Amino acid sequence: MKYIVILGDGMADEPLVQLGGRTPLEYAKTPNMDRMAQNGACGMLRTIPDGFEAGSDIANMSILGYAPEKYYTGRGPLEAVSMGIGLESGDVAYRCNLVTVEDGVMVDFSAGHISSSEGSTLFSSLSQEIPEVMLRAGVSYRNLLVVHQGTGSTSTPPHDIVGKKIAEYLPEGGDAALLLRCMGKSTEVFAGHPVNAARLRAGKRPATGIWPWSGGPRPSFPQFEEKYGKKGGMISAVDLLNGIARCAGMEIISVPGATGYLDTDYAAKGRYALDAIRHLDFLYLHIEAPDEAGHLGDVEEKVRAIERVDSVVGMILENFDGVLAVLPDHPTPISVKTHTRDPVPFVVLGKGTDSTEHFSEREAGEGSLGTKSAVDFLSFLFS
Ligand SMILES: [Zn+2]
């Protein structure tokens, strides 16, 4: 038996007045997910354990069966592993966003979804000024900062403070003094940088500085194949997910044209998934777009992103006869533009049927599979 999980990041939401009291998942035309609900069964999943932030890292680790209480050391180290950065003992890796701050307010946690090449140019200019840390450019605004012999520090994810004054959310404790110096240097180096001058001329948001957060040492996971007795693979455009997969010893399948943003190549993801599952037992197909639309607070874009996820579900349904599950990792409600910790709906085809007819938050709440803890999800699927 083979297994595919399609993960629509941040796909769950709340009923919205502008959608006539329906959620984006209810409003979107999702014939394929609905077909799964009709021929399969639904339930709800608790993906965020108590005491953890509602992050994609926490949620996706949980869904893959790695209890965050045991294995989570931060988002930074997961992304470092994904980028092939060998973290030594004593290294603390921070996720390091390029951000837009204006008048002391966090305007954009992504610096206008700056391109990878612009980000990498800014990072090489900044590297020369702060040789005491290691900077590594990643995809778009998602970069990395490594402190050698670091002690960690507390800071807030920048996507949680959009529109707020940053002064109350700066890094505290441990490496904070060093991080603040690096942030100050970034503001100096980026002001008037040719990359930003060109962005401003093009009417785009400049990257005014860096924002390090969620640092930690390299985690150590039991390997997926030993844990479940199955060869697993991951398709995702997001470093974080690939980092989790690499820590778990899963195969990482990269898909050309997968951007991790709204314009990602959905058909290519479906094709690569179908190809990969021929030699794997399990595939995790992660699609970031609904989450990005949620962070933007853009209802229409979120509905479109969900419909595109549904088209991938359709491609898989037509060409795959194993067990298929579809779910979000957490809600990213339009109303709050950030992640929440509410349980998420899931639908499974190939593990019995119930009376659900549509895949939605509401109907899944009444599904026969009940509410499960995410860390048990794959064991349930494989049972
Ligand atoms: Zn997520």
Side-chain angles (χ1 to χ4, degrees), residues 109-128:
F109 67 90
S110 72
H113 283 275
I114 192 161
S115 73
S116 301
S117 67
E118 289 170 309
S120 134
T121 306
L122 289 171
F123 261 48
S124 30
S125 302
L126 180 58
S127 269
Q128 297 160 14

Side-chain angles (χ1 to χ4, degrees), residues 95 138 154 273 289 362:
R95 163 68 174 275
T154 326
R362 236 180 290 242

Side-chain angles (χ1 to χ4, degrees), residues 9 56 329-330:
D9 204 298
S56 294
D329 47 353
H330 50 74

Side-chain angles (χ1 to χ4, degrees), residues 7-11 54-57 59-60 75 240-241 286 288 291 295 328-332 339:
L7 195 295
D9 204 298
M11 198 158 60
S56 294
D57 41 7
N60 286 284
R75 178 181 289 226
L240 178 64
L241 271 288
H286 170 261
E288 172 77 354
D291 181 63
H295 284 300
D329 47 353
H330 50 74
T332 308
H339 306 167

